[in-house]
Amino acid sequence: MTAVTGNHQATVRIKDLLLRAYIGIKDEEINNQQDVLINVRLTYDAADAINQNDIRAALNYRTITKQIISHVDGNRFTLLERLTHEVLSIVMEHEAVSWATVEIDKPHALRYAESVSVCLEAHRATSNPV
């Protein structure tokens, strides 16, 4: 097998995670759960996972997904911006994650529109040795 050198930044995508939550400010939104569609994209250094071929050396994206589900499913949020921020915070709690973006869609939130979404991004600050 040919050796590959260089950057081992892996991109992980969690696509179309469909959950239900109470989200909004109108009585109808406060009293009825609505679908939210969550997409996460993150990067991490996968060199150890690649070299060791061992799950313990990889980022456990199943754990991240379970944490998102636990936090969102059936819970109450006023603003889509706040929900997006909270999901991004869950992703960034994992030290291995160097960068992430979260986009959450609220289907049929506006008349004539398929959905409304909010997207937020974060990156881990790198330390600069002096």
Side-chain angles (χ1 to χ4, degrees):
M1 182 173 279
T2 304
V4 177
T5 59
N7 188 337
H8 289 104
Q9 285 291 310
T11 299
V12 175
R13 291 187 172 120
I14 301 167
K15 296 181 181 181
D16 299 334
L17 180 60
L18 181 61
L19 302 176
R20 297 194 44 84
Y22 298 93
I23 181 160
I25 57 172
K26 297 178 183 175
D27 285 342
E28 180 180 315
E29 296 172 320
I30 293 169
N31 295 320
N32 298 300
Q33 291 189 66
Q34 299 171 71
D35 291 342
V36 289
L37 193 61
I38 301 173
N39 284 283
V40 176
R41 188 169 154 218
L42 63 87
T43 59
Y44 83 101
D45 184 350
D48 288 343
I50 291 166
N51 293 330
Q52 297 173 28
N53 196 28
D54 187 332
I55 189 67
R56 292 171 295 195
L59 177 69
N60 192 332
Y61 45 85
R62 182 177 183 198
T63 298
I64 294 172
T65 303
K66 287 174 130 183
Q67 289 172 327
I68 293 169
I69 293 168
S70 176
H71 185 75
V72 175
D73 206 36
N75 286 321
R76 295 186 181 274
F77 307 91
T78 302
L79 298 175
L80 194 54
E81 291 85 351
R82 179 63 188 206
L83 173 57
T84 306
H85 169 76
E86 290 179 15
V87 171
L88 182 59
S89 294
I90 289 168
V91 174
M92 293 305 293
E93 283 175 2
H94 296 265
E95 290 293 322
V97 175
S98 55
W99 171 87
T101 183
V102 171
E103 181 176 14
I104 302 183
D105 283 82
K106 186 176 171 185
H108 311 293
L110 294 174
R111 189 174 179 188
Y112 305 120
E114 185 176 320
S115 70
V116 171
S117 70
V118 170
C119 186
L120 293 172
E121 152 179 351
H123 66 276
R124 189 151 325 276
T126 57
S127 59
N128 294 327
V130 178

